[in-house]
Amino acid sequence: MKRKSKTGLTSSQKSIPFYNGDDPHLNDKSQYYYAGEASMLIDDVQLSILPFPDRSRDDDEYDIKLTASDATVETLIIDAIESQYGREDLRYSLYEFFKQCAGVLMAYGQAAYEIVYLSTNEGKIDSVRLSLIAPSGFITKRVKFQQYQSTPTAEGSNQRGSFINLPAESVLLFKLPENMRARHDEMMQSLVFVGENIVPKFAIANMVNPTVPFSHDDYSLSRSIAVAKATKHIGWNARNYRNEHRFEHYVWHRQLIFYKFLCILREGILRTLNEGLTRIGSRMGFTAELSFENLPTANDADSALEKLHKGNLKTFNDVLKSFR
């Protein structure tokens, strides 16, 4: 079922959700989505941040618990975060929201949404939207939030740009886990470099006229080591679960570190989303809090790591069971 569109409402939106054309002022990191291992990492985080709603975990599916002071709050939340499919289902809407938010976080290191209020002509708030602020032009300065916005000049083709202050109370800022914030940019730059250098430039010419000893196998191993080193803090295995050059124990240790990262990231997104509901509720006169049921936590990942290190996990299924 698609939600009904609402017309005749006044929007409080100050930000812009996307840019048209290129502008040297923009910090565009969209290449991360298309560069080999960096793209793979973003995809894996997006697809794993929440289970797809129709996918069961053993005999039970995860669930969303909404504690609210008003029965209409669920519809308001769905309308606030649902931007693409128009489904009137909280689990589907949250799945899409978490997927989008996690992707922006992994590419840019932060994801900012504007709390946009839609009001009637009488000034009564009718509904609310969480609108993604175009990340390539969004910056934070201590407690100040700004976005680069350009407008056409009188000449038409030229653009005049400036940084616009966004009201702090309207900006909901999602962040990476604290231990990853300082390491994020270096990690992504390393993955982009590896993704852009599948084969060194000299090696292509060397195939026609071999003058330099070159081993593709050794180079491939070096690339794998570089990826493993770049992502050691989040444990991503780059979809490689083979035991060649690695002990099986280490492969699954990294996988559990990655699951722990996903749990912390998911819990952080949920915590910030609930902060947004608190702000919205204070203006619209309701209280609401979202929580997940039947999903693993960072503590579960720590418990699994402890079992792995003590030799109490005997099979791959023991390692993966709780996190699938």
Side-chain angles (χ1 to χ4, degrees), residues 217-245:
D217 290 340
D218 289 346
Y219 184 75
S220 178
L221 176 59
S222 296
R223 289 182 74 255
S224 297
I225 293 173
V227 171
K229 184 176 180 179
T231 59
K232 65 181 180 180
H233 299 292
I234 64 171
W236 186 54
N237 272 317
R239 303 178 187 175
N240 179 9
Y241 302 100
R242 294 176 301 173
N243 296 325
E244 187 179 12
H245 306 299

Side-chain angles (χ1 to χ4, degrees), residues 104-116:
V104 175
L105 278 168
M106 293 307 296
Y108 290 87
Q110 62 183 11
Y113 288 77
E114 183 180 3
I115 302 173
V116 179

Side-chain angles (χ1 to χ4, degrees), residues 74-308:
E74 180 172 341
T75 300
L76 182 140
I77 294 173
I78 293 171
D79 283 346
I81 63 177
E82 177 60 73
S83 61
Q84 186 172 0
Y85 298 104
R87 292 189 178 104
E88 295 186 357
D89 182 284
L90 187 58
R91 287 200 305 167
Y92 276 98
S93 297
L94 281 171
Y95 173 79
E96 294 298 336
F97 178 83
F98 271 66
K99 184 178 175 182
Q100 179 194 63
C101 185
V104 175
L105 278 168
M106 293 307 296
Y108 290 87
Q110 62 183 11
Y113 288 77
E114 183 180 3
I115 302 173
V116 179
Y117 296 97
L118 303 173
S119 305
T120 64
N121 292 332
E122 293 74 29
K124 180 181 178 181
I125 298 176
D126 175 87
S127 53
V128 65
R129 300 278 187 271
L130 287 186
S131 177
L132 177 67
I133 301 171
S136 57
F138 176 81
I139 62 172
T140 60
K141 291 184 176 180
R142 295 184 180 178
V143 294
K144 182 184 291 186
F145 302 119
Q146 295 182 322
Q147 185 186 27
Y148 176 80
Q149 297 183 9
S150 59
T151 55
T153 62
E155 292 77 14
S157 58
N158 295 325
Q159 299 281 322
R160 179 182 293 112
S162 60
F163 283 92
I164 306 300
N165 289 328
L166 301 175
E169 66 273 11
S170 296
V171 175
L172 200 56
L173 186 61
F174 294 83
K175 299 179 181 179
L176 288 170
E178 189 172 356
N179 70 324
M180 269 306 299
R181 293 172 197 168
R183 301 182 173 114
H184 169 264
D185 195 55
E186 181 182 357
M187 177 183 73
M188 297 305 290
Q189 292 288 352
S190 297
L191 292 180
V192 169
F193 178 83
V194 172
E196 291 176 343
N197 291 274
I198 298 176
V199 178
K201 293 179 181 178
F202 80 87
I204 298 176
N206 198 57
M207 293 178 187
V208 179
N209 182 25
T211 57
V212 179
F214 177 74
S215 168
H216 286 281
D217 290 340
D218 289 346
Y219 184 75
S220 178
L221 176 59
S222 296
R223 289 182 74 255
S224 297
I225 293 173
V227 171
K229 184 176 180 179
T231 59
K232 65 181 180 180
H233 299 292
I234 64 171
W236 186 54
N237 272 317
R239 303 178 187 175
N240 179 9
Y241 302 100
R242 294 176 301 173
N243 296 325
E244 187 179 12
H245 306 299
R246 297 183 297 177
F247 291 113
E248 183 179 89
H249 176 96
Y250 181 65
V251 173
W252 297 111
H253 167 85
R254 284 183 64 100
Q255 189 64 25
L256 285 171
I257 293 294
F258 184 58
Y259 286 143
K260 181 178 179 179
F261 168 74
L262 290 172
C263 290
I264 295 173
L265 182 63
R266 178 171 61 231
E267 291 160 8
I269 293 175
L270 181 65
R271 185 165 52 250
T272 303
L273 183 58
N274 278 325
E275 177 190 324
L277 291 179
T278 299
R279 290 195 219 169
I280 295 168
S282 67
R283 288 196 60 176
M284 298 185 68
F286 67 82
T287 59
E289 184 176 14
L290 290 163
S291 59
F292 292 121
E293 295 183 337
N294 301 323
L295 278 181
T297 66
N299 289 336
D300 294 326
D302 282 333
S303 296
L305 280 165
E306 185 178 358
K307 289 180 181 178
L308 177 68

